Amino acid sequence: MQYKDTRDSSVSVDFRTAVLSGMNAKTGGLYVPESIPHFSSDLLNRSTTPSFRDIAFEGAKPFVDGEILEADLEKIIIDAYPFAPQVVPIDPITYVMELFHGPTCAFKDFGARFMARVMSYFNQKENDRLHILVATSGDTGSAVGSAFHNVPGLDVTILYPKGKISPLQEKQLSTFTGNVRALSVDGTFDDCQKLVKTAFTDADLRKKFRLSSANSINISRLLPQSFYYTYTALAVRNRCAMDNKIENPAVIMTVPSGNFGNLTSGLIAKEMGAPIEGFVAATNSNRTIPDWISSGKYEARPSVSTYSNAMDVGAPSNYERIKYMYNLEEVRKMFGSYWLDNDGTLEGIKKCHQNTGYIIDPHGAVAYTAWDDIRSGAMEKLIKGEKNDPAKPGLTPNVPAWANTVLEKRAVGVILETAHPAKFGEVVQKAIGREPSIPDRLQQIMKLPDMSIDMSKDYETFKDWLINNL
Ligand SMILES: *Cc1c(COP(=O)(O)O)cnc(C)c1O
């Protein structure tokens, strides 16, 4: 498989190059597969749902074809995924896709663990160390740090916005040792992302070091995320007849989004043949994408802090991939789009708990509220021409192609639960009056000492530090 550059159609690179370079430093463009392969109809039509690992192996094969031996790919998948997504019904037409069963309790483990093993595979033949730079608005850093910890030949520098992530997330980042270190940056996530992006295009640094990224801009993080969509869509389709007597469900994936890497992975899964009818792009007050879908004008803005802080992104990096893959009209047909403020998020956690008994985290709550609103009348209103004011929380005015499946009672919602609620215990406490219990693997981390290094958001200071410390 060859990979194209979103900014220069003459560029075409192999998987190895796309993975190790992260993005095209010359153009600033992102890599996308030149074509999307299709799953075999055998895999898509089995009466028992294939295992997550089987789907991952079959799904990854064409993307790495000729560059990773099948036997090695199988080892990578087995080693990366000792855990799987869990599909949990919470009411007759709503399922939660729990993506927090990996080591850091967030969905980013799926992408980061595959990426780390693939990079290590490709780096075996090199003499130099590969330096990974990663900006995080929360969960990326811990997933990447954990995935790369003690992987030979690689080291990782994580940049996070000081004080703008939850105390537990900060603990997860600041306690790495050895080949993984965290910089606590006096600025926002966008400042962190800018430092990393500038470093990648800095010819000076590139001469000195082999640099690579690990943000959702890296294609090797995006691809494996598509596999849990396929797994869940098949699992839901196969159990609906039993759960709710819907024979031909229209599966709507509701995705709490920040940089839109997760949602882009869903688009890839749909193209590969996963039985997904449509998507809801759900954001917090950082509503750059809902506004683009409403108005047709894309305007990046500074990010604002919210309860669902892993989605506090004002300039979503995967917008560029979505725009490359589809035009605006296609996006408006595929996506319902929804945004929600902080009060609505608290309300969503509370409502989900009251109505279903399920404790959802603030990110999942944004998606839950979007879906709950859509199936409880918001989509019907929209079809009738009653539009929500885009400046107020709610659905954007476009009517997606799947809108009628909601009225026909064929639509089944899948909420992507991207983090364990215990990672946002304070917010959950505020909403429902008690904190969720903390999984063991998080509790262990609270006992470790803080090893993070303070960093200014000034590029030259950051660059000097890299030169002196890498
Ligand atoms: C990163 C993250 C998101 C946003 O995912 P994107 O791929 O950036 O859209 C949502 N929820 C949680 C918990 C996250 O860590």
Side-chain angles (χ1 to χ4, degrees), residues 106-108 137-140 169 216 221 225 255-263 310-311 313 318 361 363 418-419 424:
F107 85 96
K108 292 188 173 77
S137 58
D139 288 334
T140 301
Q169 280 180 328
S216 54
R221 279 194 44 197
Q225 292 174 176
V255 190
S257 296
N259 265 314
F260 282 79
N262 201 1
L263 200 136
M311 308 182 346
V313 181
N318 284 287
D361 95 292
H363 304 79
T418 46
F424 303 91

Side-chain angles (χ1 to χ4, degrees), residues 219-233:
I219 192 70
S220 68
R221 279 194 44 197
L222 236 47
L223 296 176
Q225 292 174 176
S226 74
F227 309 143
Y228 53 65
Y229 282 89
T230 302
Y231 172 78
T232 304

Side-chain angles (χ1 to χ4, degrees), residues 106-155:
F107 85 96
K108 292 188 173 77
D109 286 329
F110 283 93
R113 291 177 66 84
F114 182 77
M115 176 178 63
R117 281 148 189 81
V118 166
M119 281 186 168
S120 157
Y121 184 84
F122 286 140
N123 203 56
Q124 280 166 14
K125 301 175 199 110
E126 304 290 334
N127 299 320
D128 282 350
R129 293 180 80 72
L130 185 63
H131 297 277
I132 315 285
L133 300 182
V134 47
T136 181
S137 58
D139 288 334
T140 301
S142 53
V144 168
S146 156
F148 282 85
H149 197 219
N150 293 335
V151 176
L154 304 177
D155 71 31

